Amino acid sequence: MPRDGDMRLFMDRAVPFPGGRVATLSRVMRGVWKTEQDGIGGVAEKHPVAVLVLVGERFQALTPSGDPMDRDEVEKLCPGAEARLRASAEA
């Protein structure tokens, strides 16, 4: 296991589609370490946590398996995610 790793939640860049936008929230883990043989090792993983969809003014959040997520849950995971998705539609 990496000794100097970190885990963060990121909102990927919003992607437009006709009538709306979609973005994912992903948990990203990275780590680098020195091996006993004076080499280095590393690992990186990215796992989707939520899919955010904006169609017109309608916001919806889903788990990667398609189950609905509550707005409060999204806000706890990534404060400001809905606002950033809405702002990306205005840009």
Side-chain angles (χ1 to χ4, degrees), residues 1-6 29-34 41-45:
M1 187 72 175
R3 287 183 286 249
D4 296 321
D6 66 321
M29 189 275 294
R30 306 176 287 218
V32 177
W33 62 93
K34 182 180 176 199
V43 65
E45 295 179 3

Side-chain angles (χ1 to χ4, degrees), residues 21-44:
R21 301 181 83 67
V22 64
T24 57
L25 296 182
S26 298
R27 191 169 317 278
V28 177
M29 189 275 294
R30 306 176 287 218
V32 177
W33 62 93
K34 182 180 176 199
T35 67
E36 292 177 14
Q37 295 81 22
D38 292 328
I40 61 168
V43 65

Side-chain angles (χ1 to χ4, degrees), residues 49-72:
V49 175
V51 178
L52 310 180
V53 182
L54 183 64
V55 178
E57 289 298 311
R58 184 172 181 256
F59 173 79
Q60 185 175 16
L62 307 165
T63 67
S65 60
D67 296 319
M69 291 179 71
D70 184 76
R71 269 190 165 109
D72 292 337

Side-chain angles (χ1 to χ4, degrees), residues 10-16 21-26 46 52 84-85 88:
F10 290 94
M11 182 173 155
D12 293 322
R13 183 179 58 86
V15 177
R21 301 181 83 67
V22 64
T24 57
L25 296 182
S26 298
K46 183 176 181 180
L52 310 180
R84 288 198 310 266
L85 183 60
S88 74

